[in-house]
Amino acid sequence: MREMSTLLEDAPRFSFAASEIRDVVDREGAVSQLEIDHRTFVERPNRVRREVSIGDHSALLVYNEGSLGLHSTRQSFYALADIPTTIDPALDYLDERLDVRAPIADMLYSSPYESYVGDSTTGQYVGEETVEGASCHHLAFQHPAIDFEIWLADGERPLPCKLLLSYKLDEGAPKSVLTFRDWDLDPEFEPDVFAYNPPEGYVRIPFLGLEGGLTTAPEAAPGNN
């Protein structure tokens, strides 16, 4: 875990993709599953781009030096907010104030190890296993709120191959299983990868959780008629 953390800490920029199977618990307690595709781009200390696809729908989150933009194709709305100007406090703010959570968030902190393993965390080494054809080290950790298991690649680059999260305090104790691919610790980003531009015709709405909401009336992105 420490070697994995050091790899990500030392990378000034990195990108990866992941496929997720997420439990969804309805009001009657029935569990269904969503298949979600993630793509993440990080440039330390203050830029993140997250692309998420669920079936025919997609969502985009762009964080750039304290400016946050977010929209989904499910509805023709977008939201903008000013949040902390570096990644660590920005991630805390997204979780605590805006209820924007991501199962891969711990990997984006300046020290993933410290984000994953706290004073209340216990863990053990399970053994060597194969994930998508790759030899991995399987570790399991317990926490009062979330248990997780992680499979790290064997060799000089112990990057995550798989992650299992169990949300013990949520209704129905749902799980998320992510399988990672396409790790790049020295990517060449396009100049506009961290530029946020809402789709034409989308209407701006406030983020839930921000006091006061918008300071002006909702506005449409260019092209709305």
Side-chain angles (χ1 to χ4, degrees):
M1 282 291 287
R2 290 189 183 277
E3 291 176 8
M4 177 274 289
S5 181
T6 298
L7 274 176
L8 297 181
E9 289 174 41
D10 291 346
R13 64 187 65 84
F14 61 90
S15 63
F16 62 90
S19 299
E20 178 186 3
I21 298 177
R22 180 183 300 180
D23 289 346
V24 178
V25 183
D26 66 18
R27 294 180 179 179
E28 286 71 42
V31 179
S32 59
Q33 293 183 324
L34 284 178
E35 295 184 7
I36 307 171
D37 191 66
H38 301 258
R39 192 165 292 275
T40 303
F41 310 82
V42 178
E43 186 171 87
R44 299 197 185 281
N46 50 19
R47 294 184 175 92
V48 176
R49 179 186 179 97
R50 296 268 294 120
E51 300 171 359
V52 180
S53 298
I54 305 174
D56 296 332
H57 299 283
S58 62
L60 174 66
L61 180 151
V62 177
Y63 166 73
N64 190 336
E65 296 183 319
S67 175
L68 176 70
L70 175 66
H71 69 261
S72 167
T73 60
R74 283 186 178 274
Q75 295 177 307
S76 299
F77 301 120
Y78 73 98
L80 296 173
D82 292 325
I83 65 174
T85 56
T86 54
I87 292 173
D88 284 18
L91 290 171
D92 293 340
Y93 190 93
L94 287 173
D95 183 16
E96 297 166 6
R97 291 288 304 277
L98 303 185
D99 197 29
V100 177
R101 296 184 292 176
I104 53 84
D106 292 294
M107 295 181 187
L108 310 186
Y109 280 91
S110 56
S111 173
Y113 181 87
E114 292 181 4
S115 182
Y116 274 113
V117 181
D119 294 338
S120 301
T121 307
T122 60
Q124 56 276 331
Y125 181 77
V126 178
E128 293 188 31
E129 300 176 13
T130 300
V131 177
E132 301 290 315
S135 178
C136 298
H137 298 282
H138 180 190
L139 300 93
F141 296 86
Q142 299 77 45
H143 182 272
I146 301 174
D147 289 346
F148 70 96
E149 299 177 45
I150 191 166
W151 287 255
L152 302 174
D154 187 24
E156 296 180 356
R157 285 169 36 112
L159 293 167
C161 296
K162 183 178 175 182
L163 176 68
L164 166 62
L165 298 164
S166 301
Y167 298 93
K168 299 188 295 184
L169 301 184
D170 290 0
E171 186 69 28
K175 294 180 171 59
S176 285
V177 181
L178 296 98
T179 304
F180 296 91
R181 63 185 188 277
D182 299 339
W183 279 100
D184 190 341
L185 299 186
D186 189 24
E188 292 290 335
F189 292 145
E190 295 294 330
D192 62 349
V193 69
F194 299 110
Y196 180 74
N197 296 296
E200 290 187 355
Y202 275 42
V203 175
R204 184 178 175 184
I205 59 174
F207 270 106
L208 183 66
L210 287 184
E211 295 181 4
L214 291 173
T215 57
T216 60
E219 58 191 57
N224 186 51
N225 295 310

